[in-house]
Amino acid sequence: MTLHRRRSAEDVKIATPTPPRGAQSAHPTSNSARTALVGTPLLIIGVALAAVNLRPAVTSLASLLEQVRGSVGASHAWASALTALPVVCFGAAGVLAPRLNRRFGIARAVGWALALLTTGLVIRVLDGPAVVLGGTLLACAGIALGNVLLPVVIKQSYPHRLGMVTGIYMGALSGGGAIGAALTPPLNSALGDWRLALGAWALLAVAAVVLWSAAARHADHVAAEAPKPRRSLLRNRLAWTVTIFFGLQALVAYVIMGWLPEMLVEAGVDRATAGLYLGICTLFGVPTGLLFPPLAVRMRSQSALISSLTAVGGLGLVGLLVAPAAAPLAWSLLAGVGMGVFSLAITVLALRTEDPADTAALSAMAQSLGYLIAACGPFLFGLLRGITGDWSASLVLVLAVTAAQTVVGWAAGRPRTV
């Protein structure tokens, strides 16, 4: 009997989350803030469309990074900071997600996250370097809230279909990243302006806001559930293991999403094709996102699956280091398979917890602190490139992180709960 099946009877009892352990609230929690969303088919579509919007803000910019930098007259250090900014923001803004959930309810919290994302996508194309940074900051704040809150929606509203709905979420997330990378260069060519090409992604975010408003409905009642004794996950070894694993895999993923097109261009690939290769790389997250979460919840341990995907991604990085021009598409594909470990990192957040309250607390810890760990990656990667004049030292650094990810991921995949 799997870990997911052993807990399914308990999940039936859980209609609403209690405040995460170790968290304090200054306000009484309203009924709407405590009840789960009604798990309708329309809500699954709402979750999927929201997830599609959580990556194009990053991958669309990466595909035009050098053009944007040249157009606004910014430095290479600015470009390095811009690639690191989303990950920093994911860490910082993610801390607020559980508080918004407890105070206002998850329906409103996700809706505000999507609205913030839409606003940032519009603002960042209006002016120069500072405005691009500021708009990206707002957009990524919205993404950060969605990153933390949507897995909680899935845990609360679909406890018996956790693997399936997580797979849909992960597939949509990866698909959004892929279309952001692959379609932005053609949009840029068709529209003749990078500002229009990047700003067009706000239309997709508006669609997500509208659909979420229709799909997200809180249940009409609050289950009588005795509050648990509170404890801080900061003192929990497993919580830290999951957090470090999450941070290391995010570091590798955002290095690839932020810098792969530039590496391929320097290897002789034209810019449009380089953007397409990044799209193909991230597109691999769709089948891995659909396949691996349902498989993972049926496995007692996810360690072997995590390590296998990480090793495949490492092969792609070795190819980029040793012979980038020999088979750039193959290296991109291998790296994309490795990035599929993100679907397991999200699944592990639910499998290493007993109920939605713990899922929210672990998700907030892993994503806030984990993304702060990951933020070092894109910045140092670009900085080393500027100092050394090539990508070798940068890729060696990421390969070392990949090796550490293999070890920590094995520990995070073992069948325990916080």
Side-chain angles (χ1 to χ4, degrees):
M1 183 176 292
T2 64
L3 178 62
H4 173 59
R5 290 175 180 169
R6 286 200 303 270
R7 291 205 311 261
S8 62
E10 180 181 352
D11 285 339
V12 173
K13 303 175 185 177
I14 299 168
T16 63
T18 55
R21 295 171 180 169
Q24 299 294 332
S25 175
H27 304 281
T29 306
S30 67
N31 285 357
S32 65
R34 291 173 56 200
T35 52
L37 299 182
V38 180
T40 62
L42 184 61
L43 182 63
I44 295 179
I45 299 173
V47 167
L49 186 56
V52 167
N53 280 274
L54 298 185
R55 291 297 177 268
V58 178
T59 58
S60 62
L61 183 59
S63 66
L64 299 179
L65 182 59
E66 189 61 25
Q67 182 177 346
V68 172
R69 187 192 70 80
S71 175
V72 300
S75 66
H76 287 285
W78 177 87
S80 294
L82 190 61
T83 60
L85 182 62
V87 195
V88 174
C89 189
F90 291 173
V95 176
L96 298 176
R99 297 182 182 180
L100 291 175
N101 179 18
R102 293 193 301 271
R103 182 67 182 88
F104 300 105
I106 203 161
R108 288 183 180 178
V110 174
W112 290 340
L114 293 171
L116 190 61
L117 167 61
T118 305
T119 302
L121 289 172
V122 172
I123 289 176
R124 75 174 180 176
V125 299
L126 297 180
D127 207 345
V131 173
V132 174
L133 284 171
T136 300
L137 179 68
L138 288 178
C140 291
I143 294 171
L145 295 173
N147 283 340
V148 175
L149 292 170
L150 289 174
V152 179
V153 172
I154 296 169
K155 177 80 171 185
Q156 287 178 338
S157 301
Y158 303 97
H160 299 297
R161 291 184 285 175
L162 180 64
M164 183 198 75
V165 182
T166 300
I168 292 172
Y169 166 72
M170 293 307 310
L173 193 72
S174 300
I179 63 174
L183 296 185
T184 303
L187 273 175
N188 181 52
S189 299
L191 298 174
D193 189 340
W194 66 264
R195 297 182 189 275
L196 293 176
L198 293 182
W201 293 104
L203 299 176
L204 185 63
V206 169
V209 172
V210 173
L211 182 58
W212 183 261
S213 299
R217 295 185 293 110
H218 283 288
D220 296 330
H221 67 279
V222 180
E225 189 80 15
K228 291 183 175 182
R230 295 179 180 179
R231 61 187 175 89
S232 174
L233 291 184
L234 293 174
R235 301 186 185 93
N236 186 286
R237 176 183 288 185
L238 176 56
W240 275 107
T241 300
V242 172
T243 296
I244 294 171
F245 164 56
F246 192 97
L248 294 180
Q249 63 82 29
L251 186 155
V252 175
Y254 279 92
V255 162
I256 293 170
M257 285 192 285
W259 290 107
L260 180 63
E262 297 305 317
M263 285 189 284
L264 295 179
V265 167
E266 290 196 18
V269 179
D270 67 88
R271 185 160 297 278
T273 304
L276 178 62
Y277 284 178
L278 176 59
I280 293 172
C281 172
T282 53
L283 187 63
F284 253 77
V286 175
T288 57
L290 291 171
L291 173 64
F292 290 124
L295 177 62
V297 299
R298 289 170 172 80
M299 300 173 68
R300 184 170 183 272
S301 170
Q302 296 76 42
S303 298
L305 197 55
I306 289 170
S307 297
S308 298
L309 284 179
T310 303
V312 173
L315 291 176
L317 294 172
V318 169
L320 288 169
L321 173 63
V322 175
L329 177 58
W331 310 144
S332 300
L333 291 175
L334 291 172
V337 174
M339 287 169 61
V341 79
F342 177 62
S343 66
L344 298 178
I346 292 295
T347 306
V348 159
L349 295 178
L351 295 179
R352 298 290 86 86
T353 55
E354 294 287 353
D355 54 49
D358 281 348
T359 303
L362 182 60
S363 180
M365 177 178 173
Q367 298 202 49
S368 58
L369 298 180
Y371 277 127
L372 290 177
I373 294 171
C376 302
F379 181 77
L380 289 177
F381 194 86
L383 190 63
L384 281 174
R385 167 64 181 83
I387 293 172
T388 63
D390 62 33
W391 301 104
S392 297
S394 301
L395 285 166
V396 168
L397 173 65
V398 178
L399 281 168
V401 172
T402 301
Q405 177 189 320
T406 304
V407 175
V408 180
W410 184 276
R414 293 171 56 197
R416 300 163 291 163
T417 56
V418 296

